[in-house]
Each structure stands twice: as C-alpha cells, then as structure tokens.
Amino acid sequence: MIAPFTTCSAIAAGSFYSLCLRGSGEVYAVGHNGYGQCGTGSTTPAPYALTTPTQMIAPSTTCSAITAGSCHSLSRRGSGEVYAGGSNGVA
C-alpha cells in the first residue's frame, strides 16, 4: 500500500481495508469498500476491492488523525471537525 508514497504519518486497519495519513494531511485507502468505508463516494466494490491507494473524499485534504473500524472510517481535521464514512448499521 505505501509504495506510491514516501511518508505516512499514521496508518489504520479495519476489516479488509487500510488507511494511510500522509504528512501533508491527505488520507488514502486501499481494500474492501463494500460499506463506503474507503471514502471514495461509492459503495460499489470494483472489482471487489481498491487495489491501488485512492485518496478519500473529504471537505479538506488536511486531516490530522485517522482511525478505522470494522466497516467505517473516521478522519479529524486540524480544526477538530470529524468526518465519517462507511456503515451506519448496527450489528
């Protein structure tokens, strides 16, 4: 996952997907996106998983922290605003 990048300041792993926070504040995702947890704007797994690191859609490209749950992702901007992507269901 890290090959296209020279630095990741943080990484997070969920169920079948991973996140990378670059030093510049951009967040990239790779892996299964069936619940929209990779933040691409789509819940369609194509061809089933993101095999190339893909930048997450966010109102700002400057995030300061990331975390990954089983089927959801969270990112925090420097201002403290938190953005979520993924499943809203209760298991």
Side-chain angles (χ1 to χ4, degrees):
M1 173 180 163
I2 304 172
F5 311 116
T6 56
T7 60
C8 282
S9 59
I11 56 172
S15 293
F16 308 107
Y17 76 102
S18 300
L19 304 176
C20 166
L21 174 63
R22 295 187 66 193
S24 60
E26 298 167 329
V27 180
Y28 285 81
V30 66
H32 178 67
N33 188 43
Y35 298 99
Q37 67 270 38
C38 290
T40 63
S42 172
T43 58
T44 304
Y48 173 79
L50 300 172
T51 56
T52 302
T54 303
Q55 187 171 1
M56 294 181 73
I57 296 172
S60 172
T61 58
T62 55
C63 293
S64 59
I66 55 173
T67 189
S70 177
C71 299
H72 70 281
S73 300
L74 301 172
S75 60
R76 184 183 69 215
R77 291 178 51 185
S79 63
E81 295 172 308
V82 176
Y83 293 90
S87 178
N88 292 327
V90 177

